Amino acid sequence: MTIAAVVAVVLFRFLYSNADTAANCTYDDIRGSWTYYVGPGGHNNSLDCSHFDVSDAHAPFTVQLLFPNIAFDDKYNSGFWTMVYNQGCEVVIDNRKYFAFSAYKGTQSICNETLSGWSHDVDGTNWSCYVGVKQTTVDIEAKPAGRQAKNLNDLFVIDNNYIQELNSVQSLWKATVYPELKNVTVREVLSRLGGVRKSFASIKPAEASANVVALAAQLPRHFDWRNVSGVNYVSPVENQGSCGSCYAFGSLGMLEARIRILTKNKFRPVFSEQDVVECSQYSQGCEGGFPYLIAGKYAEDFGVVEEHCNPYKGEDGKCHTNKNCTRYFATKYQYVGGFFGACNVPLMQMELVKNGPIAVTFNAGARCFSLLHYKSGIFHEVKMPISDNFIFNPWEFTNHAVLLVGYGRDEEKKEDYWIVKNSWGKTWGENGYFRIRRGTDECALESMAMVSTPILP
């Protein structure tokens, strides 16, 4: 593709770059040979790539993204890459990082192109903009990005018969009606679950090796970071409200807990989700985002601030964070297992016990949407038809991010479970937490866990 052709593509893309991303690209869509057009370097993290002029790009270079996470460029440098859910891709090669969202037009994914992305040295210096164009031609036709929800401004209907059915067809958990779900719109309810348009493709956990299974078998049968020898290392439960900011709460909750663990509770920060909502280039504010890009890239590239620097309002807006506030950073971010698609239960357990709580993503599709009504017990998918009167139908999946803090087993019911911190307030569930069946990948919880390591001040 000529530079002129790429310029035309980029100009077209910027018409859509300020909206929430509707891209829905698979692993095989991204795997292959790409050409990266990189702009001038020498910038810092204040660089605005929305006005990137590809005609100013340096000589393009080619990078091969190979199975399972191997990258090679045309100078024979080797590196690694990972999908960022179905939204984009990050490549680390030749001492630089490259991240961009996949392109789209309206609700059509354009998986063989990227939006204008960000590149910088692995130490976070020398920033530049870039655009990627895939050179192979397999599976690069524009595809639907998921069914679009309708009537989002209608009032959400609580079907009491549905609640009764949830309680009658299973006995592991109890459903209830929460007053805060009354007189709110479908849009507000979906925002609690991660954002109206945060669709993603589920993946299955990777098979665990015999060695990993043996190591995990040596772990305690019950573990909870809220009570390790009588000490709680988990920050308080908060309420995201009707803003689709769960990704910020899950991400920052992980960093808060891991700092408490590293400092033996001497430093117990509560970080600002509003700073993420308003200021992060790597998310879409109240329309959703991903822990990998917040607890990972944002925390490493820009840092996070304490709550008082930008108190939570639960709404979009310009960045109002106090510029004099200290920013706290993290590094070594990755999906559990090393890349997207390598996660499994034993690896999650070992990571949890060794290093602290884990940010996980919850696929709140039709069968897991009932988490909204969870009161107590061990949650699991309820395989039953949704009532005709129930206004939410599986128009699309939503992406709810939460924080894994422990695990255990109910000996009476012979059920293994995870302990999960939610962001719907202390009056929801079990004091703001829920337990969910472990070992069966309920709601894709065991396939998309990510971690990062705080850098202590």
Side-chain angles (χ1 to χ4, degrees), residues 195-212:
V196 172
R197 295 177 65 182
K198 276 291 158 242
S199 171
F200 69 92
S202 298
I203 58 173
K204 294 295 183 182
E207 184 176 352
S209 68
N211 181 56
V212 168

Side-chain angles (χ1 to χ4, degrees), residues 301-320:
D301 292 348
F302 298 93
V304 298
V305 298
E306 293 186 69
E307 171 70 13
H308 66 85
C309 298
N310 194 347
Y312 188 67
K313 298 189 289 290
E315 59 186 39
D316 291 317
K318 294 181 179 180
C319 184
H320 291 98

Side-chain angles (χ1 to χ4, degrees), residues 362-437:
F362 186 93
N363 184 343
R367 290 173 179 166
C368 293
F369 185 80
S370 53
L371 182 72
L372 280 171
H373 303 292
Y374 171 89
K375 180 176 177 60
S376 62
I378 302 174
F379 182 81
H380 61 91
E381 298 181 37
V382 180
K383 298 180 179 180
M384 61 180 229
I386 292 180
S387 166
D388 292 338
N389 296 322
F390 190 48
I391 196 168
F392 177 86
N393 287 310
W395 303 318
E396 61 181 7
F397 293 128
T398 48
N399 180 16
H400 186 49
V402 288
L403 184 68
L404 198 68
V405 303
Y407 61 84
R409 178 173 175 82
D410 187 316
E411 297 294 352
E412 180 181 345
K413 297 182 177 179
K414 302 186 185 308
E415 288 284 351
D416 295 329
Y417 59 82
W418 297 109
I419 305 168
V420 186
K421 178 186 177 185
N422 206 350
S423 53
W424 295 346
K426 296 179 181 179
T427 60
W428 179 88
E430 297 178 335
N431 298 314
Y433 289 80
F434 67 99
R435 288 174 291 159
I436 184 170
R437 183 184 281 162

Side-chain angles (χ1 to χ4, degrees), residues 257-332:
R258 290 188 167 214
I259 287 176
R260 284 164 163 74
I261 294 165
L262 289 171
T263 65
K264 296 180 170 32
N265 256 347
K266 293 179 181 178
F267 183 33
R268 296 184 291 176
V270 174
F271 292 126
S272 169
E273 290 83 12
Q274 193 64 38
D275 171 74
V276 172
V277 169
E278 291 180 350
C279 309
S280 171
Q281 302 179 73
Y282 301 147
S283 61
Q284 291 79 51
C286 282
E287 290 298 324
F290 298 99
Y292 182 91
L293 297 179
I294 299 306
K297 283 196 68 61
Y298 186 69
E300 182 176 88
D301 292 348
F302 298 93
V304 298
V305 298
E306 293 186 69
E307 171 70 13
H308 66 85
C309 298
N310 194 347
Y312 188 67
K313 298 189 289 290
E315 59 186 39
D316 291 317
K318 294 181 179 180
C319 184
H320 291 98
T321 299
N322 185 337
K323 295 182 180 180
N324 295 321
C325 280
T326 299
R327 286 198 171 264
Y328 300 90
F329 295 85
T331 189
K332 298 180 181 178

Side-chain angles (χ1 to χ4, degrees), residues 100-112:
F101 290 106
S102 295
Y104 62 93
K105 178 182 179 182
T107 60
Q108 295 291 310
S109 301
I110 306 174
C111 298
N112 61 324

Side-chain angles (χ1 to χ4, degrees), residues 89-404:
C89 171
E90 183 172 49
V91 178
V92 182
I93 196 165
D94 194 20
N95 202 41
R96 290 189 71 82
K97 294 187 176 184
Y98 299 84
F99 168 73
F101 290 106
S102 295
Y104 62 93
K105 178 182 179 182
T107 60
Q108 295 291 310
S109 301
I110 306 174
C111 298
N112 61 324
E113 300 171 7
T114 74
L115 298 178
S116 181
W118 301 267
S119 172
H120 57 71
D121 289 346
V122 292
D123 59 3
T125 60
N126 191 12
W127 285 59
S128 58
C129 303
Y130 84 101
V131 164
V133 178
K134 191 176 182 184
Q135 300 306 308
T136 51
T137 58
V138 179
D139 294 329
I140 62 173
E141 294 295 326
K143 63 175 67 176
R147 288 174 288 179
Q148 184 66 27
K150 299 178 181 179
N151 303 319
L152 292 178
N153 294 321
D154 287 350
L155 285 179
F156 176 70
V157 175
I158 297 176
D159 187 340
N160 290 316
N161 291 329
Y162 176 67
I163 303 297
Q164 292 175 11
E165 288 181 53
L166 286 172
N167 288 326
S168 66
V169 298
Q170 53 82 38
S171 60
L172 276 183
W173 63 281
K174 296 296 183 184
T176 191
V177 174
Y178 287 101
E180 57 265 34
L181 294 180
K182 296 180 179 179
N183 300 316
V184 298
T185 65
V186 175
R187 182 183 297 276
E188 291 175 291
V189 171
L190 291 179
S191 290
R192 289 169 65 87
L193 291 167
V196 172
R197 295 177 65 182
K198 276 291 158 242
S199 171
F200 69 92
S202 298
I203 58 173
K204 294 295 183 182
E207 184 176 352
S209 68
N211 181 56
V212 168
V213 171
L215 290 172
Q218 301 175 29
L219 297 173
R221 294 196 69 181
H222 295 262
F223 191 86
D224 187 348
W225 279 108
R226 297 173 300 174
N227 184 359
V228 178
S229 300
V231 179
N232 178 16
Y233 292 95
V234 182
S235 55
V237 171
E238 298 180 84
N239 193 337
Q240 70 185 74
S242 59
C243 172
S245 54
C246 58
Y247 67 97
F249 284 90
S251 300
L252 299 185
M254 177 176 67
L255 297 179
E256 291 163 354
R258 290 188 167 214
I259 287 176
R260 284 164 163 74
I261 294 165
L262 289 171
T263 65
K264 296 180 170 32
N265 256 347
K266 293 179 181 178
F267 183 33
R268 296 184 291 176
V270 174
F271 292 126
S272 169
E273 290 83 12
Q274 193 64 38
D275 171 74
V276 172
V277 169
E278 291 180 350
C279 309
S280 171
Q281 302 179 73
Y282 301 147
S283 61
Q284 291 79 51
C286 282
E287 290 298 324
F290 298 99
Y292 182 91
L293 297 179
I294 299 306
K297 283 196 68 61
Y298 186 69
E300 182 176 88
D301 292 348
F302 298 93
V304 298
V305 298
E306 293 186 69
E307 171 70 13
H308 66 85
C309 298
N310 194 347
Y312 188 67
K313 298 189 289 290
E315 59 186 39
D316 291 317
K318 294 181 179 180
C319 184
H320 291 98
T321 299
N322 185 337
K323 295 182 180 180
N324 295 321
C325 280
T326 299
R327 286 198 171 264
Y328 300 90
F329 295 85
T331 189
K332 298 180 181 178
Y333 60 92
Q334 64 174 6
Y335 292 106
V336 171
F339 57 92
F340 187 63
C343 186
N344 57 49
V345 171
L347 288 175
M348 290 170 67
Q349 287 183 268
M350 289 192 293
E351 173 66 31
L352 177 75
V353 173
K354 181 180 179 181
N355 296 316
I358 302 170
V360 292
T361 305
F362 186 93
N363 184 343
R367 290 173 179 166
C368 293
F369 185 80
S370 53
L371 182 72
L372 280 171
H373 303 292
Y374 171 89
K375 180 176 177 60
S376 62
I378 302 174
F379 182 81
H380 61 91
E381 298 181 37
V382 180
K383 298 180 179 180
M384 61 180 229
I386 292 180
S387 166
D388 292 338
N389 296 322
F390 190 48
I391 196 168
F392 177 86
N393 287 310
W395 303 318
E396 61 181 7
F397 293 128
T398 48
N399 180 16
H400 186 49
V402 288
L403 184 68
L404 198 68

